[in-house]
Amino acid sequence: MNNYLYILAAVVIGATLSLQPPINATMARVLGSPLLSATISISISLLVVATLWLTWGKAAGDISQAKYLPWWVIVGGIAGVVFVAGSIVTAPTLGLALFFVCIVAGQLLGSTIIDQIGAFGLEVKPINTMKVVGLLLVLVGAGIVQNSSA
């Protein structure tokens, strides 16, 4: 698969993610609880991914190796909860466009720091002028989106 297909896949993943906050916010309104909504949403995710994993059989990994994982792998699960539960509360107030511009800005800032220090076993990719310019453009974009609503 060349990079263009990966880029297309990432765009599709991003578009799919835009469905989650409004759907979960609707669920929270009906149920009366953002945390209950997040619990149900994440439970559905767990059921779907566990089903997929179980259908792939032994080629899909060795769960006995989980004991060798570093302690910080729990951060990935916590990040999922922060996104799901946080989006239920913030996206309806901000609107989806501003919410996702801010999400992307936060992702770029966080990922730049992770690249800079080579966290989680990644190769160090130092901050350079073009990265800083790109980050600033995203932050300016967030400001423009914020000020675009009447």
Side-chain angles (χ1 to χ4, degrees), residues 41-57:
S41 178
I42 292 168
S43 296
I44 293 167
S45 297
L46 174 62
L47 287 172
V48 170
V49 76
T51 300
L52 291 172
W53 174 64
L54 290 171
T55 61
W56 284 335

Side-chain angles (χ1 to χ4, degrees), residues 62-84:
D62 183 358
I63 195 148
S64 70
Q65 298 301 304
K67 62 188 170 197
Y68 300 112
L69 292 171
W71 67 268
W72 44 258
V73 299
I74 63 169
V75 173
I78 293 169
V81 171
V82 169
F83 176 77
V84 171

